[in-house]
Amino acid sequence: MAGGECKSNDYGAAAYWDARYSSSSAGSPASGGGGEFFDWYQTYSALRPLLRACLPASSRVLMLGCGNSLLSEGMAKDGYEDIVNIDISSVVIEQMREKHKEIPQLTYMQMDVRDMSFFGDESFDCVLDKGTLDAMMCADDAPDGASKMLAEVARLLRPRGIYLLVTYGAPKERVPLLNQAGCSWSIALYIMPTPGYQLKMSKGAPQPTMEELALTEDGPPDYVLKDPDSHFIYVCHKLAVEEANCRDIDPEETANAN
């Protein structure tokens, strides 16, 4: 999904991902299959400063669409204590269970992100999403499936819990989707060059850089960085009921009532 473009594949289908992760010809970094382990988008080392700043190691974390990423492994080695990893592909879940059977902080479960009813309300402190919303926007049931996933994310998070989304989706595309009915967030937005661009510019090891962008009351900025290719990172804090109610009040109505 380079550049966030959708292809003809149904990225919301278990059969597609099972075949991809089973294929011996898919074991290259470009495809991330065939029993190989590969981080789409950004690595833990790149995301670590942000994660450490906003997420205590004691947090209960849910990793959406974990695939064969090593993000969870990196977090566990860095002290995070409880990470539940889910993916629609039973093939990759078995691969990751086997790889991480000696790391008790990591749990793996086959599950569809559009229906996570196995978990009770407010079960997690953080939901991490590295490309899964992008995949859902390329599913055959998009955008309905993506909306179902986001509603489930909001349900599963405790008040002030964090949904951390790494995506190709620019603010004009993602903020309205995030703020669908039933979802109330306080959103901070960051932008980070892709690892490929960093390598090209540094002529060697990438040097992760992250820039915070302003989200104004008038809505998301009409901002898309064309060069370098970039990922947008949304740190969404779930508002408590009273916070959401306060945000919905029209200041002019309050002034007139007084």
Side-chain angles (χ1 to χ4, degrees):
M1 288 177 295
E5 297 178 356
C6 296
K7 299 180 181 179
S8 59
N9 302 309
D10 179 9
Y11 288 113
Y16 168 79
W17 292 108
D18 283 346
R20 185 160 184 162
Y21 289 121
S22 297
S23 173
S24 59
S25 63
S28 68
S31 60
E36 299 293 324
F37 303 99
F38 178 71
D39 266 306
W40 300 95
Y41 291 23
Q42 299 286 347
T43 63
Y44 177 61
S45 61
L47 296 173
R48 184 182 187 275
L50 183 60
L51 286 170
R52 275 300 188 183
C54 65
L55 189 63
S58 59
S59 303
R60 189 177 191 222
V61 178
L62 178 65
M63 190 74 66
L64 297 184
C66 63
N68 52 14
S69 166
L70 299 180
L71 177 61
S72 295
E73 178 182 314
M75 292 179 68
K77 289 180 178 178
D78 199 28
Y80 283 93
E81 301 169 3
D82 186 359
I83 306 172
V84 180
N85 301 270
I86 65 171
D87 199 282
I88 198 170
S89 170
S90 59
V91 172
V92 81
I93 288 296
E94 288 304 317
Q95 291 172 355
M96 298 302 278
R97 278 179 183 158
E98 178 62 24
K99 175 174 174 55
H100 294 128
K101 60 186 177 182
E102 303 300 328
I103 305 180
Q105 302 97 311
L106 302 181
T107 304
Y108 287 89
M109 304 176 66
Q110 190 277 331
M111 193 175 296
D112 189 326
V113 295
R114 290 164 287 199
D115 179 7
M116 295 182 280
S117 54
F118 177 86
F119 302 118
D121 296 354
E122 301 181 3
S123 297
F124 293 92
D125 300 297
C126 177
V127 175
L128 282 177
D129 176 351
K130 195 154 61 82
T132 301
L133 181 60
D134 288 3
M136 295 309 302
M137 289 301 291
C138 293
D140 283 353
D141 64 349
D144 291 341
S147 294
K148 289 178 181 177
M149 185 195 90
L150 290 172
E152 282 285 80
V153 168
R155 179 184 68 82
L156 292 177
L157 281 171
R158 296 172 180 134
R160 301 304 300 169
I162 295 171
Y163 173 43
L164 196 148
L165 168 66
V166 183
T167 172
Y168 276 110
K172 287 289 186 183
E173 302 163 354
R174 289 294 180 260
V175 172
L177 187 62
L178 287 166
N179 285 328
Q180 67 182 31
C183 297
S184 297
W185 310 103
S186 170
I187 303 175
L189 173 62
Y190 300 83
I191 191 167
M192 178 181 283
T194 63
Y197 181 85
Q198 294 173 37
L199 281 170
K200 183 172 68 174
M201 291 297 99
S202 66
K203 304 290 192 281
Q207 301 295 320
T209 57
M210 191 180 304
E211 174 190 356
E212 186 170 5
L213 306 177
L215 282 173
T216 68
E217 292 184 0
D218 296 328
D222 188 10
Y223 182 98
V224 179
L225 190 59
K226 297 295 185 183
D227 189 13
D229 288 335
S230 299
H231 294 131
F232 295 92
I233 302 173
Y234 300 82
V235 180
C236 311
H237 285 84
K238 178 181 174 179
L239 296 178
V241 174
E242 58 272 18
E243 292 177 299
N245 290 340
C246 288
R247 192 179 71 167
D248 292 339
I249 294 174
D250 187 332
E252 292 186 7
E253 291 183 4
T254 303
N256 292 335
N258 294 331

